[in-house]
Amino acid sequence: MKLNIEGLLVYFPYDYIYPEQYSYMLELKRTLDAKGHGVLEMPSGTGKTISLLSLIVAYQKAFPLDVTKLIYCSRTVPEIEKVVEELRKLMEFYAKETGEVNNFLALALSSRKNLCIHPEVSSLRFGKEVDGKCHSLTASYIRAQRHSNPDQPVCRFYEEFDAVGRQVPLPAGIYNLDDLKDFGRRKGWCPYYLARYSILHANIVVYSYHYLLDPKIADLVSKELAKKSVVVFDEAHNIDNVCIDSMSVNITRRTLDRCQSNVETLQHTIQKIKDTDAAKLREEYRRLVEGLKEANVARETDVYLANPVLPDEILQEAVPGSIRTAEHFLGFLRRFLEYLKSRLRVHHVVQESAPQFLKDIFEKVCIDRKPLRFCAERLQSLLRTLEIADIADFSAVTLISNFATLVSTYSLGFTIIIEPFDDRTPTIANPVLHFSCMDPSIAIKPVFQRFQSVVITSGTLSPLDIYPKILDFRPVTMASFTMTLARTCLCPLIVGRGNDQVALSSKFETREDFAVIRNYGNLLLEMSAIVPDGIVAFFTSYVYMENIVASWYEQGILENIQRNKLIFIETQDAAETSMALEKYQEACENGRGAILLSVARGKVSEGIDFVHHFGRAVIMFGVPYVYTQSRILKARLEYLRDQFQIRENDFLTFDAMRHAAQCVGRAIRGKTDYGLMIFADKRYARADKRGKLPRWIQEHISDGSLNLTVDETVQLSKHFLRQMAQPFRQEDQLGLSLLTLEQLQSEDMLKKIAQIAHQA
Amino acid sequence: MDDEPERTKRWEGGYERTWEVLKEDESGSLKATVEEILFQSKRRRVVESHGQVRLGMMRHLYVVVDCSRSMEDQDLKPNRLTATLKLLEGFVDEYFDQNPISQVGVITTKNKRAEKLTDLAGNPKKHITALKKAVDSACVGEPSLYNALNLAVQTLKHMPGHTSREVLIILSSLTTCDPANIYDLIKTLKGLKVRVSVIGLSAEVRVCTVLTRETGGSYHVILDESHFKELLMLHVKPPPASSSSECSLIRMGFPQHAIASVSERDARPSFSMSHLDSGTGPGLTLGGYFCPQCHAKYSELPVECKVCGLTLVSAPHLARSFHHLFPMLPFLESPVEQLQGSRFCEGCQGELRDKSAYVCPSCRGVFCVECDLFIHDSLHCCPCCIHSRAAL
């Protein structure tokens, strides 16, 4: 259907539209008009992706000069593929309606592992190996060596691409990963480099967060993307953690040992080169005097893994004299290494800020701040000069030099914590130096600064105002959309008491309480008897789950549950978990019924959807607070309080509730789906917790479903499940939650739509 | 007919939230009440049943009753099993009333096994006594869909192609314990054109959804007892025959009921064939139905002759099966406001209080929704039309 969104003609490839999709497009259009950033929350399963795509594509077609490119960031490869498929549908619709030949180029980009077609390289199992091997075949000096030595192996796909591929642009069309590979095979070009090259002139790019947020990768891949792009972060509820992870460094004793051996190897190589080709080192020296600006001109294949965010002024300067020659630099590294080793030899926990650390290092080993800042650049230059092919081995020394650069560059937003042992095993010495980033805005700032519109969207972003705060940007639109439903297909219930009136809670004091554990068991037992097919139960942590399950086993509750359903458990082992998942789905499929016990923040809670019968009920045992005794977390909370005036408790609750919402949201993946959401902790009933759930869940929590006992929950659930099992056809939705074009244009529907968007 | 469907006493019902029902009705726009949806589907049923479709008149139906532990649940009074069996008795009566030349059998499943309670037969009495007896049986273990279906198929697959093969499962449990992959069995069922329908007593189970979708049956879940009854009665009406089923002419016998009085000379008391098996009831009788082919005597019709295999029916039986072939036209729905004339239902003489009324297309008589259902489900002819014809 063709829509008129405030004067913009939007092609929408379906015959029907949800009212909230229309409302979403309105908000999105306003964001683009204002050339600003937006935060939009819309429940999963309401067609977020297609609304985004249709509006932005329409905008691109209408104002080709204002918006040149859409950068769509998603989390996983399957999600990326899904986006491309939606896009393909949209483009087919365009072609059918307008009759024009499509001149849009859209492509997905992923790692070498997913795109490589070289027979040997692509058979490797780990991404790191693929990257290393690819590098050893395509680096510029390797290819230069081939001129003198034809036996040197190179990648023929890359050679072919380099020879021809750059002149001929990728023909317009929609390419997912497989399409790229096919195209690459047909032409004999390397799909990975083809894609990386083509994103510069593509209209739509779909790739993972890390290509924009991780400074090491972003610098390579996304540096040259046009400023007039729209960036969309989908499923962005965890974006602050992604930012923080990409900037943090952890150093253990093993890292230091490996780094030590790296330095030895470097020493040897330098010695060798000195004997054979001293001119090379002299040349490097000259280059370093000139400054690092030229160093950046090196070709795209010369990837030396890391490139942390360097402020521009550093690049302008020349490398300080103390680390300019290779030997001096190695000596410098050694000193730094020794210093770190001595710091790791502590017996108590140390926490200090970056300036403190710098002062200490100056006093102890006389290392100045300036050379530290250049450490990462200097190392890269050295590795390049020494022509070391296999860069995978040098990850340890790269990590250390990154750390050196970061610690001397940022005096705020980072903290250094040295822990002599793990808190859980105080007797085993395992010192770790955490250099942890506390400010997610550092990593994402370049994105907000560079691109004209950045849209952050997800099913669970509540409370909306906290994201602009912690990511430090100013959105022009913030809106939360609800689901319009023809039938109430989600049923959130808060269970606060057991049948014996014992308050249910996972809080620390009552964690070991047998009465609570027994009542939790009863809840699961009763639910297993009345909920068909699959139930997913989430615990707050692995330890808590183990304790509870062991205790249930002793009390015989597990045995009773197994009469109703089979039980599967998520473990920390990925292979075991995926096995359990597979069997779980099989049991749901053939009518035996199953329960999956898993952990909030685990793999299951984030990436796996439980559509229809795979998740008829989700039970959340307790509030999934993050482990509050962790020093890193404490430091971050302190930072948030000082910098952004966010109280500790507010942030902890926000974090717990977004994970709880993620967990229970697994059950509802669309309007025809239905599911129970059971929050088994009395603390959920409090206004401060409840108020932080997404609006589309909140509006279905009535006062009557706040502090239920197990019995009452069973009654309500039974009633709900029977109602939901009544036949439900598309006609029942039409006009209410599903609109045709005519219905959409009617006056009162437009009025209603205006109410859907809840301005935060 | 009652004004209201029979509901449980208020103190027996679950937690009712009357205030919420009220709210939903008022705002109206977002939350369509389930009642409304149900009402719509009720109406749709009347509409759907219309059309010149071939119907399977000779039906073979196995009713599978779940007797697992979950049947002891007391959300139907006094418990699920008793309520189910009671409703089934009514169902069997109604079934033979509407489909006199069809047969029914009952299978129970519990403790991972399936047993035949009664074989396929055309005699309602036998089934009803068996159902009455089954009330006292204990409910244990899990049901097995696979075993129950397998047992039904063993018999149904020998039934001739012109008859319908149907299974109706009343499933209370949410789990099934199967010895083999049920999806293979579903394929077999599909191949044999066995139609499986399920009535769930607790919630929607995935495997049943697939089972019914694949075999062309229907799947419903009950809301309460009256809804349960309604759903059971849906299965009284014969399903449309699949176009691929054979059509053939069937030999039938129409025995005359011979009444012999003792005073007649050649009157001799004789045994009825149907009594030979059961061994109950009066042994020797005088009158009866005599098979036109082999002169075996039966006391009841319809029946299949035990001696020569001829189907014995009476003409009224056939006539009663007949109306399914010529269903009444559905009444037209129109808003009450637009009606001219009286605001009273021609059927029950009650005031039309609903939003819409129903008009007979041929005589323009106005009916309320309850009468509309009654006319289409039970009477099969419009009283106004008959009345006007009688007046002529």
Side-chain angles (χ1 to χ4, degrees):
Chain A
M1 73 169 88
K2 285 184 223 169
L3 301 167
N4 179 356
I5 309 261
E6 289 185 347
L8 178 73
L9 175 68
V10 174
Y11 286 84
F12 191 74
Y14 297 99
D15 292 338
Y16 303 104
I17 186 170
Y18 295 141
E20 55 269 34
Q21 286 182 315
Y22 184 80
S23 180
Y24 188 90
M25 288 197 237
L26 275 180
E27 290 296 329
L28 192 57
K29 161 111 183 347
R30 285 173 197 156
T31 315
L32 297 187
D33 280 343
K35 299 199 194 311
H37 311 313
V39 180
L40 303 172
E41 178 186 57
M42 184 152 98
S44 44
T46 48
K48 216 168 22 214
T49 308
I50 191 65
S51 320
L52 267 169
L53 290 175
S54 358
L55 188 101
I56 296 180
V57 167
Y59 207 93
Q60 271 180 295
K61 296 224 173 197
F63 311 102
L65 293 178
D66 284 349
V67 174
T68 49
K69 192 189 290 285
L70 163 63
I71 305 169
Y72 196 108
C73 304
S74 201
R75 265 192 320 195
T76 57
V77 173
E79 274 166 10
I80 289 174
E81 299 268 350
K82 244 192 302 191
V83 173
V84 177
E85 287 320 304
E86 289 279 7
L87 191 60
R88 195 188 305 274
K89 219 175 270 169
L90 178 66
M91 286 306 168
E92 275 164 14
F93 184 71
Y94 260 102
K96 208 176 81 191
E97 287 291 312
T98 56
E100 293 168 17
V101 182
N102 198 0
N103 54 359
F104 249 60
L105 175 63
L107 57 93
L109 176 64
S110 181
S111 64
R112 288 185 178 84
K113 171 151 191 341
N114 294 320
L115 277 174
C116 184
I117 53 172
H118 190 279
E120 281 165 44
V121 181
S122 59
S123 60
L124 292 171
R125 276 184 58 211
F126 297 104
K128 241 184 192 161
E129 289 173 359
V130 176
D131 288 352
K133 184 87 182 153
C134 177
H135 194 264
S136 69
L137 292 178
T138 57
S140 56
Y141 53 80
I142 297 280
R143 297 173 53 226
Q145 278 172 17
R146 191 177 151 84
H147 289 297
S148 51
N149 173 16
D151 292 337
Q152 184 81 29
V154 291
C155 173
R156 66 188 157 92
F157 296 104
Y158 183 79
E159 293 300 319
E160 189 73 15
F161 167 70
D162 199 47
V164 209
R166 280 178 215 277
Q167 280 81 36
V168 197
L170 192 63
I174 315 292
Y175 297 88
N176 64 16
L177 300 180
D178 283 336
D179 295 337
L180 281 172
K181 273 167 139 175
D182 283 348
F183 185 80
R185 274 199 200 97
R186 252 198 336 268
K187 296 268 187 181
W189 297 349
C190 172
Y192 174 75
Y193 282 101
L194 178 68
R196 250 178 67 177
Y197 177 73
S198 304
I199 60 171
L200 297 180
H201 61 264
N203 300 88
I204 298 171
V205 182
V206 186
Y207 58 32
S208 141
Y209 284 2
H210 298 280
Y211 288 88
L212 267 187
L213 292 183
D214 197 329
K216 302 155 208 152
I217 317 175
D219 208 50
L220 292 171
V221 178
S222 312
K223 203 154 81 182
E224 290 168 56
L225 293 182
K227 195 169 160 35
K228 285 180 178 172
S229 304
V230 177
V231 179
V232 175
F233 290 105
D234 199 359
E235 304 288 337
H237 46 270
N238 257 347
I239 195 164
D240 54 324
N241 290 337
V242 175
C243 293
I244 283 179
D245 286 347
S246 68
M247 297 292 284
S248 298
V249 179
N250 289 332
I251 299 172
T252 61
R253 224 174 236 167
R254 253 192 77 185
T255 331
L256 292 183
D257 290 345
R258 276 173 48 215
C259 189
Q260 184 77 44
S261 68
N262 283 168
V263 173
E264 297 306 326
T265 328
L266 286 177
Q267 178 70 45
H268 281 301
T269 334
I270 291 175
Q271 207 57 49
K272 233 192 306 177
I273 288 203
K274 226 176 180 179
D275 298 341
T276 55
D277 193 5
K280 209 179 227 170
L281 286 176
R282 274 202 301 280
E283 165 67 15
E284 188 202 15
Y285 185 87
R286 191 193 56 75
R287 224 172 41 222
L288 293 175
V289 174
E290 277 172 15
L292 286 170
K293 198 91 182 154
E294 274 88 340
N296 268 340
V297 186
R299 271 199 238 111
E300 58 170 324
T301 50
D302 293 62
V303 192
Y304 277 88
L305 274 184
N307 195 348
V309 260
L310 283 175
D312 258 357
E313 57 266 29
I314 293 186
L315 293 178
Q316 315 277 333
E317 287 177 55
V319 174
S322 57
I323 55 170
R324 223 173 275 165
T325 63
E327 284 103 334
H328 288 168
F329 178 61
L330 279 190
F332 172 86
L333 269 185
R334 272 207 199 97
R335 247 185 309 152
F336 186 59
L337 215 58
E338 282 313 316
Y339 172 74
L340 287 181
K341 272 187 189 159
S342 76
R343 289 308 300 267
L344 279 185
R345 246 175 262 131
V346 289
H347 293 290
H348 56 277
V349 180
V350 181
Q351 178 174 2
E352 58 187 22
S353 64
Q356 272 173 320
F357 182 84
L358 289 178
K359 185 162 171 278
D360 191 56
I361 198 172
F362 183 69
E363 280 170 3
K364 295 258 173 65
V365 286
C366 291
I367 289 184
D368 214 355
R369 183 175 173 185
K370 199 170 174 196
L372 271 181
R373 276 166 115 175
F374 284 89
C375 203
E377 269 313 302
R378 181 65 189 88
L379 179 73
Q380 284 196 34
S381 158
L382 180 68
L383 288 175
R384 214 177 295 139
T385 316
L386 298 184
E387 301 189 347
I388 292 164
D390 200 358
I391 50 169
D393 286 350
F394 285 87
S395 57
V397 70
T398 326
L399 191 78
I400 297 290
S401 64
N402 278 346
F403 165 63
T405 307
L406 283 173
V407 77
S408 51
T409 309
Y410 294 99
S411 54
L412 255 184
F414 287 87
T415 190
I416 295 161
I417 295 172
I418 307 171
E419 285 180 320
F421 45 76
D422 199 328
D423 271 348
R424 269 157 264 179
T425 52
T427 47
I428 305 164
N430 178 27
V432 185
L433 187 149
H434 301 282
F435 178 66
S436 92
C437 173
M438 298 182 297
D439 189 354
S441 66
I442 292 177
I444 205 170
K445 188 171 241 145
V447 177
F448 281 122
Q449 275 175 352
R450 179 164 176 85
F451 299 110
Q452 77 178 28
S453 286
V454 177
V455 178
I456 290 183
T457 186
S458 172
T460 50
L461 281 178
S462 293
L464 290 180
D465 52 343
I466 207 156
Y467 283 90
K469 260 193 205 163
I470 57 177
L471 297 180
D472 194 21
F473 70 105
R474 205 169 285 182
V476 292
T477 48
M478 280 204 280
S480 169
F481 303 86
T482 53
M483 248 203 276
T484 49
L485 296 168
R487 57 168 192 177
T488 329
C489 69
L490 68 168
C491 179
L493 301 172
I494 297 173
V495 188
R497 296 166 290 152
N499 288 337
D500 47 5
Q501 303 298 324
V502 171
L504 292 182
S505 177
S506 69
K507 70 177 175 212
F508 190 70
E509 295 82 42
T510 61
R511 199 161 266 201
E512 306 291 321
D513 192 343
F514 270 110
V516 173
I517 296 179
R518 189 188 59 236
N519 273 313
Y520 272 154
N522 272 341
L523 174 67
L524 188 62
L525 176 61
E526 303 261 327
M527 293 315 286
S528 74
I530 58 158
V531 176
D533 301 326
I535 299 180
V536 191
F538 288 101
F539 293 86
T540 52
S541 68
Y542 282 107
V543 185
Y544 189 49
M545 175 165 79
E546 275 162 29
N547 281 343
I548 283 202
V549 172
S551 169
W552 283 350
Y553 176 74
E554 281 164 19
Q555 296 175 6
I557 295 176
L558 275 197
E559 200 187 341
N560 284 333
I561 293 175
Q562 268 175 325
R563 270 192 224 159
N564 297 325
K565 290 190 189 308
L566 305 180
I567 298 177
F568 298 93
I569 299 183
E570 179 190 8
T571 62
Q572 264 144 326
D573 183 338
E576 232 171 57
T577 302
S578 57
M579 178 80 159
L581 255 176
E582 196 181 299
K583 292 292 164 196
Y584 167 81
Q585 290 178 338
E586 196 183 319
C588 292
E589 194 67 49
N590 63 23
R592 184 67 185 85
I595 296 178
L596 184 66
L597 303 180
S598 48
V599 169
R601 296 162 199 275
K603 181 185 166 216
V604 169
S605 73
E606 278 293 325
I608 315 279
D609 289 348
F610 295 96
V611 280
H612 295 292
H613 57 288
F614 293 131
R616 282 295 180 218
V618 177
I619 307 178
M620 184 75 234
F621 290 112
V623 184
Y625 279 115
V626 65
Y627 176 59
T628 46
Q629 298 307 307
S630 141
R631 291 190 183 79
I632 301 175
L633 180 76
K634 278 183 180 160
R636 187 172 173 206
L637 290 176
E638 213 164 279
Y639 183 81
L640 285 174
R641 193 189 54 210
D642 296 347
Q643 294 296 313
F644 302 116
Q645 285 78 48
I646 298 172
R647 280 183 299 154
E648 284 103 330
N649 245 333
D650 280 352
F651 182 77
L652 285 176
T653 316
F654 152 75
D655 186 64
M657 293 314 281
R658 72 171 162 185
H659 280 103
Q662 262 307 300
C663 292
V664 297
R666 300 285 106 201
I668 307 267
R669 306 318 282 180
K671 291 194 175 184
T672 53
D673 203 352
Y674 65 87
L676 286 159
M677 302 174 164
I678 296 174
F679 298 92
D681 194 311
K682 73 166 198 280
R683 288 175 289 174
Y684 284 108
R686 282 194 219 150
D688 67 318
K689 306 279 186 310
R690 218 173 357 130
K692 290 194 166 71
L693 285 173
R695 208 161 73 94
W696 55 276
I697 296 179
Q698 231 183 92
E699 69 175 9
H700 292 287
I701 304 180
S702 60
D703 286 343
S705 55
L706 279 188
N707 192 14
L708 303 169
T709 65
V710 172
D711 264 352
E712 287 166 331
T713 314
V714 168
Q715 285 294 340
L716 284 175
S717 314
K718 258 185 175 175
H719 184 67
F720 171 77
L721 287 169
R722 280 192 178 154
Q723 293 220 318
M724 285 305 119
Q726 301 310 314
F728 184 63
R729 276 166 292 256
Q730 202 189 28
E731 302 96 78
D732 299 327
Q733 285 195 50
L734 261 183
L736 284 176
S737 57
L738 197 64
L739 305 175
T740 59
L741 191 54
E742 296 87 65
Q743 282 167 334
L744 184 64
Q745 279 155 349
S746 73
E747 223 21 68
D748 27 317
M749 189 48 80
L750 290 178
K751 225 178 276 164
K752 239 180 251 164
I753 284 172
Q755 290 168 3
I756 290 172
H758 179 265
Q759 305 289 336
Chain B
M1 197 177 140
D2 286 344
D3 288 338
E4 270 178 20
E6 208 179 282
R7 285 189 186 269
T8 50
K9 299 281 184 288
R10 292 199 75 78
W11 59 86
E12 290 175 334
Y15 293 91
E16 274 183 52
R17 293 168 179 268
T18 41
W19 56 94
E20 280 178 12
V21 176
L22 272 177
K23 191 181 77 193
E24 287 173 5
D25 275 332
E26 244 347 271
S27 73
S29 51
L30 291 188
K31 300 175 180 174
T33 55
V34 171
E35 260 92 22
E36 178 118 5
I37 295 177
L38 274 180
F39 173 79
Q40 293 289 339
S41 69
K42 228 192 234 174
R43 179 72 195 140
R44 194 171 291 121
R45 211 174 71 223
V46 178
V47 177
E48 267 171 10
S49 62
H50 173 61
Q52 294 294 331
V53 283
R54 283 180 50 201
L55 298 172
M57 305 270 293
M58 294 187 74
R59 303 171 63 186
H60 291 115
L61 173 69
Y62 260 118
V63 180
V64 176
V65 184
D66 177 2
C67 286
S68 65
R69 203 182 35 192
S70 63
M71 282 302 262
E72 280 171 347
D73 202 318
Q74 299 186 341
D75 53 359
L76 302 175
K77 302 298 170 197
N79 64 17
R80 282 184 184 176
L81 182 73
T82 320
T84 308
L85 292 176
K86 191 138 203 185
L87 285 175
L88 271 182
E89 284 173 28
F91 170 76
V92 168
D93 265 338
E94 189 74 5
Y95 176 85
F96 282 112
D97 190 48
Q98 303 270 335
N99 311 282
I101 49 175
S102 304
Q103 299 188 352
V104 143
V106 183
I107 293 173
T108 60
T109 167
K110 61 179 158 193
N111 228 347
K112 303 166 195 151
R113 270 182 285 249
E115 281 167 26
K116 240 181 234 178
L117 197 65
T118 55
D119 272 316
L120 272 185
N123 187 343
K125 270 189 199 147
K126 216 166 79 187
H127 297 302
I128 288 173
T129 36
L131 287 174
K132 278 200 174 121
K133 226 186 278 169
V135 172
D136 302 327
S137 63
C139 300
V140 278
E142 294 107 347
S144 171
L145 269 186
Y146 186 93
N147 288 338
L149 285 172
N150 205 24
L151 190 63
V153 161
Q154 294 310 329
T155 318
L156 285 178
K157 71 178 172 197
H158 299 299
M159 292 302 146
H162 60 268
T163 63
S164 78
R165 302 163 181 172
E166 293 170 64
V167 179
L168 170 63
I169 303 174
I170 295 171
L171 191 69
S172 151
S173 171
L174 293 170
T175 148
T176 148
C177 194
D178 297 335
N181 188 356
I182 192 152
Y183 287 87
D184 296 339
L185 185 67
I186 293 177
K187 248 179 243 159
T188 327
L189 287 168
K190 203 177 167 189
L192 289 170
K193 299 202 187 69
V194 179
R195 195 183 123 107
V196 185
S197 298
V198 180
I199 295 179
L201 299 191
S202 26
E204 183 187 358
V205 182
R206 171 68 180 180
V207 72
C208 298
T209 317
V210 177
L211 175 66
T212 51
R213 193 182 58 211
E214 289 297 309
T215 58
S218 63
Y219 184 28
H220 295 283
V221 175
I222 64 160
L223 287 173
D224 51 26
E225 203 166 336
S226 55
H227 187 227
F228 186 13
K229 190 172 177 188
E230 215 166 85
L231 292 177
L232 258 185
M233 291 316 160
L234 278 185
H235 293 276
V236 165
K237 210 166 260 185
S242 56
S243 54
S244 56
S245 74
E246 304 164 28
C247 18
S248 58
L249 298 173
I250 306 159
R251 277 170 75 93
M252 279 190 185
F254 294 88
Q256 292 267 318
H257 191 217
I259 309 162
S261 56
V262 192
S263 58
E264 275 178 52
R265 220 159 24 103
D266 53 347
R268 270 160 293 177
S270 55
F271 287 104
S272 157
M273 290 298 285
S274 54
H275 288 151
L276 287 179
D277 298 336
S278 56
T280 53
L284 292 162
T285 47
L286 282 172
Y289 298 98
F290 292 91
C291 172
Q293 200 161 261
C294 64
H295 293 286
K297 185 174 105 171
Y298 295 93
S299 52
E300 273 174 338
L301 291 182
V303 76
E304 192 172 294
C305 180
K306 289 222 162 66
V307 180
C308 60
L310 190 67
T311 311
L312 304 180
V313 290
S314 70
H317 284 146
L318 267 190
R320 238 184 306 147
S321 311
F322 212 56
H323 71 251
H324 295 303
L325 293 182
F326 303 102
M328 263 182 80
L329 289 172
F331 288 176
L332 304 170
E333 188 175 348
S334 62
V336 170
E337 291 86 50
Q338 294 178 12
L339 285 179
Q340 285 111 25
S342 70
R343 292 281 166 87
F344 291 96
C345 167
E346 303 262 356
C348 58
Q349 299 301 320
E351 200 181 336
L352 294 170
R353 256 165 293 172
D354 286 326
K355 266 183 288 177
S356 43
Y358 301 90
V359 182
C360 171
S362 55
C363 72
R364 298 274 141 205
V366 183
F367 296 90
C368 67
V369 73
E370 298 295 338
C371 289
D372 174 28
L373 285 177
F374 176 66
I375 290 168
H376 278 94
D377 289 348
S378 311
L379 279 185
H380 304 296
C381 52
C382 166
C384 286
C385 297
I386 303 247
H387 184 70
S388 56
R389 207 173 296 158
L392 282 176

